[in-house]
Amino acid sequence: QVTLRESGPALVKPTQTLTLTCTFSGFSLSTTAMCVSWVRQPPGKALEWLGRIDWDGGKYYNTSLKTRLTISKDTSTNQVVLTMTNMDPVDTATYYCARKYGLRGFDYWGLGTLVTVSS
Amino acid sequence: DIQMTQSPSTLSASVGDRVTITCRASQSFDNWLAWYQQKPGKAPKLLIYRASSLANGVPSRFSGSGSGTEFTLTISTLQPDDFATYYCQQYYSHFPWTFGQGTKVEIK
């Protein structure tokens, strides 16, 4: 059974760095063609893809956010970590991690975690 | 980056209607296109991948088509459970991935 779960702070202050962890089970990020992505959704707005890390360690980021984002993985603990620097109130959103395997799109998602940026 | 534009933004329909949502891309890619359904407070659910392949467990009233820069999601006979917001997404490996802005299907 595949599951993903996001964890991290619910509240961060402007200019701080956000660190979110995606803990998953039921698959291995060492499997060929596997990847884990981060997606966010501001309240009442559309989904926004942030970035991904692939089974072979390849990392790809949203062009407009890439200077602020870092995604890493720990295959031994089945975790993917997102860090986003210089947080701003406009970054207030629900942050999701999601799995993509092979040809399919994101077939499994976490429940999401709401992050509010406020002083 | 590949920009994805969905139309309409909102669609009012009745149970039993045939519904079509369009997604246009700013440039062509090799059908790495997915459709998702999202209900309030929930994570998105994969409906269609590779433009026309039905994801596991998705009812056959959902179908996807298209190629190049224009793609469509069709719901053949709208059911009460289908009132939701739908997103397209391109996941062409050579580019940053992007979502459309969403189409809300509401009760007429």
Side-chain angles (χ1 to χ4, degrees):
Chain A
Q1 179 188 2
V2 172
T3 65
L4 302 98
R5 185 183 78 249
E6 306 87 355
S7 59
L11 179 66
V12 298
K13 290 181 167 50
T15 75
Q16 287 187 335
T17 294
L18 171 69
T19 299
L20 293 176
T21 300
C22 175
T23 303
F24 57 88
S25 64
F27 66 95
S28 171
L29 197 41
S30 298
T31 300
T32 300
M34 193 74 73
C35 87
V36 172
S37 268
W38 287 93
V39 175
R40 72 178 179 179
Q41 185 171 40
K45 296 189 177 181
L47 301 169
E48 180 179 32
W49 180 77
L50 298 179
R52 81 179 202 255
I53 187 162
D54 290 351
W55 61 279
D56 59 359
K59 302 174 189 179
Y60 305 84
Y61 298 104
N62 179 307
T63 300
S64 61
L65 295 170
K66 63 182 178 181
T67 60
R68 300 173 53 205
L69 296 175
T70 303
I71 297 176
S72 61
K73 66 182 174 90
D74 186 332
T75 306
S76 64
T77 60
N78 284 349
Q79 291 182 326
V80 171
V81 176
L82 170 76
T83 61
M84 180 180 290
T85 62
N86 194 24
M87 293 292 285
D88 183 273
V90 300
D91 296 314
T92 294
T94 295
Y95 287 75
Y96 296 98
C97 60
R99 181 194 93 154
K100 176 187 169 298
Y101 180 42
L103 302 178
R104 294 185 286 270
F106 297 136
D107 55 355
Y108 290 92
W109 295 68
L111 296 179
T113 186
L114 176 62
V115 177
T116 300
V117 184
S118 175
S119 55
Chain B
D1 295 3
I2 301 176
Q3 306 304 317
M4 308 300 290
T5 303
Q6 285 182 237
S7 60
S9 297
T10 306
L11 188 159
S12 297
S14 302
V15 172
D17 284 353
R18 181 181 181 87
V19 166
T20 298
I21 299 169
T22 298
C23 183
R24 289 186 174 87
S26 59
Q27 62 187 91
S28 180
F29 53 95
D30 189 22
N31 286 6
W32 294 101
L33 191 284
W35 290 96
Y36 301 87
Q37 176 193 68
Q38 188 181 33
K39 296 183 178 180
K42 301 292 188 181
K45 172 188 174 183
L46 178 66
L47 299 175
I48 301 288
Y49 63 94
R50 284 292 275 160
S52 60
S53 295
L54 200 64
N56 290 344
V58 175
S60 59
R61 64 180 181 273
F62 291 93
S63 64
S65 64
S67 64
T69 61
E70 186 159 330
F71 302 87
T72 59
L73 172 71
T74 299
I75 309 171
S76 60
T77 306
L78 197 66
Q79 298 300 304
D81 191 49
D82 301 337
F83 291 98
T85 300
Y86 294 84
Y87 293 93
C88 63
Q89 180 217 3
Q90 65 79 15
Y91 57 104
Y92 186 42
S93 64
H94 293 73
F95 291 87
W97 296 347
T98 45
F99 288 92
Q101 81 276 20
T103 295
K104 184 177 181 180
V105 177
E106 59 183 25
I107 300 173
K108 190 173 185 178

